[in-house]
Amino acid sequence: MMTLEDDEIIGKIMMRKSMILKRITGLVLVLTLLLTAAGCSSLQDFQVESLTSSEETNEFTSLGLSPEFDYEVPESLPNILVDQVGYAAGSKKLAMINAETPPETFSVLDAETGREVYTGKIESKGYDSSVNAYISYADFTDFNTVGTYYIQAASIGRSYVFGIVEDPYQSLLTKVFKQYYLSRCGLTLSAELAGEAAHNACHSREAQMKDEAMIKRDVSGGWHVDEIGSRDVISGCQAVNTLLLAYELYPDDLGDDMGIPESGNGIPDVLDEVKYEIDWLLKMQDTSGAVYASVSSVDNKNMGYILYIDGITMEATIHYAATMAKFSYLYQSYDRDFATLCLQASDRAFRYAENYLADVSEKQYFFAAAELYRATGGYQYHSVVKSYLAQNPDPDLDNDYVFWGYVTYLSTKQKVDMNLCEAATQNLMRKGETISFASKDSKLLVNTDEKQGGNAGLLHDMARLAIVDHIITNHEYATVLENHVHYMLGRNLQSISYLDGVGGRNYRDVDASLGIMNQVDQNAELLLLLAAIMDDELVVGEE
């Protein structure tokens, strides 16, 4: 039998249960409201904090619900890959499809009207382990109507817009060439010629020696090699060598009307542009003949920028010797006095380097001797060249110095050793075949890899193939050369155009370091590649 005391205890228990029930009901309501507001159907998406507390309270307690909506949406890339600038009418025209099971057909549509203008069959090429992708081809070579288009395929989607034009390469060549004018240091660039890149003269004050601040000299001019205004002897010489090589091989494509201040002066613009760099290089030589490596620009809060001249190096000195000799040889018919001045500077640098041959690569020494021999016919230079060729029957033609030295020796009008020249020609031809085979063996028709980061290597290869093609004229090489331009203009797995200001998806939208035109040496190889494609001897696009 329950007593009054028992009734009171039971009453307190019931009241406590009622309070707990109310709290549970309140929590359910709060959770329901929050989940409804967030549009979720389960509790999995939330982290609920512990409700334990040392003190009971009737006030509302936050549940710590804080859903995260800050996330990146994965970028969707098209699986139909095209040259985003365009294809030449009458040339081989391929789009590539990245899909394991592609549809049977594709369509070309007019970009303005959306009207279908061409239909073709898709040819599966299978899996390519070098790029970790299944590749198929959409061939529309026999469609040649000038216009702007895109490609579409069922279950795949559509490509970026591209053009079919009579000549897609002349404007690209001019754009690539003018990058050097836009990179000129110490010169006011006019809005008429430079457009949005116009600016006043920069970095014109005297520079100080890095190790001896009291010694200063004028090193204005030259081409910037980065965004802070640095200039570099080796990078500049590499660009000059390639530009001069392009001029030697394809002079008809590099005239006197390419839109720089010197245009129309009767001298090919490529020689005028190179001379701007040569004028700066002359300032970088010490009276001893040695050459300072570079000029760097450093911001100073109190004094503005400070220019530093970096120290003498043997690589800069011997490379300088080769470049000045090469320029002298090609420029003598336009200004013999200036060409002689450059040749004298070359000889001084070469003689200085000979005093420190332990610090000079034999490959660099060979290259400089080859250029000086062609320019002067000097026996001492020829001895160095013959010795290197005889001792290196299987040369490293991936090395720029060796490659340039080979080409120079083969093109000289001086007396040469015919046996050595024949062996050099055979080596160059084997190199061309190796590059061509590796490119054609790839489903993307370029010798690249999954990382898609090998543009420097591809451009090196194409510079070599362009020269081999000039020597023996092989239409298969013309196709390989053009395929590499298509790749760099968007026909790659990342759908990136690596050239400034062109293409639906430009490298600047992805990673500014991926550019070609902002690298003075790579830009020169790109120009050589474009000039080779445009050469009259190449039948562009033939299989």
Side-chain angles (χ1 to χ4, degrees), residues 72-132:
E72 292 186 5
V73 177
E75 184 176 13
S76 178
L77 298 178
N79 287 317
I80 302 179
L81 318 173
V82 297
D83 179 327
Q84 295 165 27
V85 172
Y87 302 82
S91 72
K92 183 80 171 179
K93 292 183 283 295
L94 281 181
M96 296 183 177
I97 295 177
N98 177 18
E100 185 173 354
T101 55
E104 293 184 357
T105 62
F106 71 94
S107 298
V108 178
L109 293 88
D110 186 287
E112 293 185 6
T113 66
R115 181 175 62 88
E116 183 179 272
V117 295
Y118 181 86
T119 301
K121 289 186 177 182
I122 294 174
E123 180 184 5
S124 177
K125 291 294 181 178
Y127 180 72
D128 188 335
S129 59
S130 66
V131 293
N132 191 29

Side-chain angles (χ1 to χ4, degrees), residues 227-246:
E227 293 182 354
I228 62 172
S230 303
R231 283 148 289 159
D232 184 83
V233 167
I234 293 174
S235 294
C237 286
Q238 287 176 323
V240 166
N241 289 328
T242 306
L243 290 171
L244 292 178
L245 198 53

Side-chain angles (χ1 to χ4, degrees), residues 297-527:
S297 176
V298 178
D299 256 341
N300 183 292
K301 292 182 180 179
N302 298 321
M303 303 174 59
Y305 68 84
I306 300 176
L307 296 177
Y308 292 102
I309 301 174
D310 295 313
I312 289 167
T313 69
M314 286 304 100
E315 184 176 8
T317 300
I318 197 69
H319 202 156
Y320 175 99
T323 300
M324 300 303 279
K326 189 178 192 70
F327 177 78
S328 171
Y329 177 79
L330 294 173
Y331 201 70
Q332 60 184 324
S333 59
Y334 296 99
D335 187 337
R336 191 170 187 85
D337 289 341
F338 187 76
T340 300
L341 177 68
C342 293
L343 185 59
Q344 291 169 345
S346 168
D347 184 65
R348 287 199 306 275
F350 188 84
R351 292 182 184 280
Y352 182 90
E354 283 190 311
N355 294 323
Y356 303 94
L357 284 181
D359 299 320
V360 176
S361 160
E362 64 172 355
K363 297 174 182 178
Q364 298 165 1
Y365 190 45
F366 158 67
F367 170 46
E371 292 293 353
L372 277 160
Y373 179 58
R374 181 169 72 153
T376 68
Y379 172 79
Q380 69 275 31
Y381 305 125
H382 197 197
S383 295
V384 175
V385 172
K386 289 192 295 182
S387 175
Y388 181 84
L389 291 175
Q391 294 175 25
N392 294 274
D394 187 20
D396 177 15
L397 291 177
D398 286 324
N399 181 278
D400 281 338
Y401 301 116
V402 177
F403 177 71
W404 289 331
Y406 257 62
V407 173
T408 296
Y409 191 61
L410 289 174
S411 61
T412 184
K413 294 180 180 179
Q414 307 289 354
K415 183 179 179 181
V416 296
D417 185 310
M418 294 306 297
N419 291 329
L420 292 175
C421 278
E422 183 178 350
T425 301
Q426 293 298 321
N427 283 326
L428 285 174
M429 291 174 64
R430 280 194 293 271
K431 183 62 178 176
E433 281 296 300
T434 300
I435 294 171
S436 178
F437 179 80
S439 302
K440 291 188 292 185
D441 192 50
S442 163
K443 302 293 190 298
L444 289 178
L445 303 178
V446 294
N447 187 22
T448 187
D449 56 32
E450 185 180 354
K451 294 180 181 179
Q452 302 278 295
N455 286 337
L458 294 182
L459 286 164
H460 273 59
D461 282 349
M462 290 307 100
R464 284 145 180 74
L465 192 63
I467 290 166
V468 174
D469 181 78
H470 186 82
I471 294 172
I472 64 174
T473 309
N474 186 320
H475 292 163
E476 286 187 4
Y477 294 170
T479 301
V480 173
L481 292 166
E482 191 174 27
N483 281 332
H484 280 73
V485 173
H486 291 321
Y487 173 89
M488 292 173 191
L489 290 172
R491 205 173 70 183
N492 54 72
L493 292 179
Q494 300 302 317
S495 291
I496 293 175
S497 169
Y498 293 102
L499 275 65
D500 286 24
V502 298
R505 185 171 189 252
N506 195 262
Y507 78 94
R508 289 189 179 276
D509 302 326
V510 181
D511 182 348
S513 69
L514 296 176
I516 296 171
M517 291 171 59
N518 55 12
Q519 308 291 328
V520 294
D521 47 350
Q522 291 184 29
N523 193 61
E525 290 176 325
L526 177 61
L527 182 141

Side-chain angles (χ1 to χ4, degrees), residues 280-291:
W280 173 74
L281 287 171
L282 286 169
K283 297 178 181 180
M284 294 296 288
Q285 186 174 36
D286 186 70
T287 54
S288 65
V291 178

Side-chain angles (χ1 to χ4, degrees), residues 134-153:
Y134 290 87
I135 303 296
S136 300
Y137 294 166
D139 190 336
F140 54 108
T141 298
D142 53 348
F143 180 71
N144 293 299
T145 303
V146 172
T148 306
Y149 307 96
Y150 62 90
I151 292 176
Q152 189 169 285

Side-chain angles (χ1 to χ4, degrees), residues 126-304:
Y127 180 72
D128 188 335
S129 59
S130 66
V131 293
N132 191 29
Y134 290 87
I135 303 296
S136 300
Y137 294 166
D139 190 336
F140 54 108
T141 298
D142 53 348
F143 180 71
N144 293 299
T145 303
V146 172
T148 306
Y149 307 96
Y150 62 90
I151 292 176
Q152 189 169 285
S155 75
I156 300 296
R158 55 177 286 182
S159 71
Y160 279 108
V161 170
F162 61 89
I164 294 179
V165 297
E166 292 297 336
D167 180 8
Y169 299 118
Q170 181 61 62
S171 60
L172 284 176
L173 179 72
T174 301
K175 185 180 184 69
V176 169
F177 172 75
K178 281 196 69 172
Q179 186 66 26
Y180 291 100
Y181 167 65
L182 301 180
S183 298
R184 288 188 187 185
C185 185
L187 179 75
T188 296
L189 305 188
S190 70
E192 179 185 1
L193 295 178
E196 295 181 356
H199 61 75
N200 292 326
C202 58
H203 304 104
S204 299
R205 66 178 60 168
E206 286 189 325
Q208 63 189 50
M209 295 295 177
K210 201 164 191 176
D211 297 329
E212 298 182 61
M214 298 302 295
I215 301 178
K216 297 182 179 181
R217 62 190 298 167
D218 171 25
V219 288
S220 59
W223 298 321
H224 292 153
V225 296
D226 57 31
E227 293 182 354
I228 62 172
S230 303
R231 283 148 289 159
D232 184 83
V233 167
I234 293 174
S235 294
C237 286
Q238 287 176 323
V240 166
N241 289 328
T242 306
L243 290 171
L244 292 178
L245 198 53
Y247 168 71
E248 283 194 82
L249 300 182
Y250 312 111
D252 294 339
D253 299 321
L254 298 164
D256 190 25
D257 56 353
M258 301 187 74
I260 61 174
E262 297 84 358
S263 293
N265 66 355
I267 301 174
D269 281 353
V270 67
L271 294 183
D272 283 322
E273 189 60 62
V274 164
K275 184 179 181 296
Y276 193 83
E277 179 76 357
I278 293 293
D279 286 335
W280 173 74
L281 287 171
L282 286 169
K283 297 178 181 180
M284 294 296 288
Q285 186 174 36
D286 186 70
T287 54
S288 65
V291 178
Y292 298 101
S294 60
V295 176
S296 54
S297 176
V298 178
D299 256 341
N300 183 292
K301 292 182 180 179
N302 298 321
M303 303 174 59

